[in-house]
Amino acid sequence: MIYWQHLTRQANEAHTREAYVDAQELGRKALACAEATFKDDFEVDAETAVSAVIVSYMNLAEVSVSMKEWLQANDYFERGVQFLQSIIVKPELPSEHRELIELTASHLRFEWELFTQTYGSKLAVAKRTNRLRWLKQRNDDSSSWQSSYGY
C-alpha cells in the first residue's frame, strides 16, 4: 500500500504540473499496484483496498478529462464500476463488505453521472467520431482485401 500511495502522490503532482502523460503513466502503475495486491489487502483492510483501486480509476479519469480524452475517461469510470461488481457478486462476501462496496459504487456512479452531465456532449461527439473511424477502417480493410483478390 505504501508503494501505491507513493505512485498516487507522484501522479497527482504530475497532474498538478500539467504533465498529463506522466500523470497517466504513474496513475496506471498505481492502479496496477492496487489491483495486484487487492486480494491480500482486502482481507486485512477492505476499505483501504477498495479505496485504492477506485481512487486510482477516478484519478485516471480525471487525467483523461484534463487531456480531453472523453472516451478514455468514461472507460475508467465504467471499469471502476465493473471492478466493484466483480467483488459484490461473490456469495461469501460478508455483509459489512457488501455495504462498503455498495456505498463506494454509489459514490463512483455519482461521479460518473457528474462527468456525463458536464462532458456528455463532448463524449457523444467522441463516440460518433470513434464509430466513424472504426467504420472507415473496416471499409478500408475490406476494400484492400477485395482488391488483393481482384474484386
Side-chain angles (χ1 to χ4, degrees):
M1 193 57 61
I2 291 173
Y3 186 57
W4 173 84
Q5 291 171 336
H6 174 72
L7 289 168
T8 300
R9 196 173 306 112
Q10 285 185 318
N12 290 339
E13 288 169 2
H15 187 238
T16 300
R17 291 190 321 271
E18 297 180 7
Y20 301 132
V21 173
D22 293 341
Q24 191 176 53
E25 181 182 335
L26 290 162
R28 286 178 179 154
K29 287 180 181 179
L31 175 60
C33 177
E35 288 181 331
T37 62
F38 181 78
K39 186 176 179 182
D40 292 336
D41 291 346
F42 189 77
E43 291 177 14
V44 175
D45 184 354
E47 185 173 355
T48 301
V50 169
S51 294
V53 173
I54 297 307
V55 164
S56 294
Y57 277 119
M58 291 175 66
N59 285 347
L60 284 164
E62 187 175 342
V63 170
S64 297
V65 167
S66 295
M67 296 173 79
K68 297 178 175 36
E69 294 179 353
W70 318 115
L71 291 173
Q72 189 171 30
N74 190 67
D75 184 58
Y76 282 124
F77 282 112
E78 186 174 344
R79 288 174 53 196
V81 169
Q82 290 170 349
F83 174 80
L84 293 173
Q85 288 173 339
S86 73
I87 299 166
I88 204 162
V89 297
K90 297 179 180 178
E92 72 279 359
L93 191 68
S95 61
E96 64 271 10
H97 292 164
R98 191 169 302 282
E99 285 180 36
L100 167 68
I101 301 300
E102 289 171 354
L103 285 171
T104 305
S106 292
H107 178 72
L108 182 58
R109 285 189 190 104
F110 173 80
E111 292 293 334
W112 194 5
E113 180 63 28
L114 189 60
F115 163 78
T116 303
Q117 288 175 1
T118 306
Y119 301 105
S121 61
K122 293 177 182 186
L123 180 61
V125 168
K127 285 180 179 180
R128 279 192 300 273
T129 302
N130 191 53
R131 175 79 174 146
L132 289 172
R133 194 176 303 129
W134 179 82
L135 288 170
K136 182 181 180 335
Q137 182 179 354
R138 185 172 163 220
N139 189 36
D140 290 348
D141 290 347
S142 176
S143 295
S144 66
W145 176 83
Q146 290 174 353
S147 66
S148 68
Y149 284 97
Y151 292 115

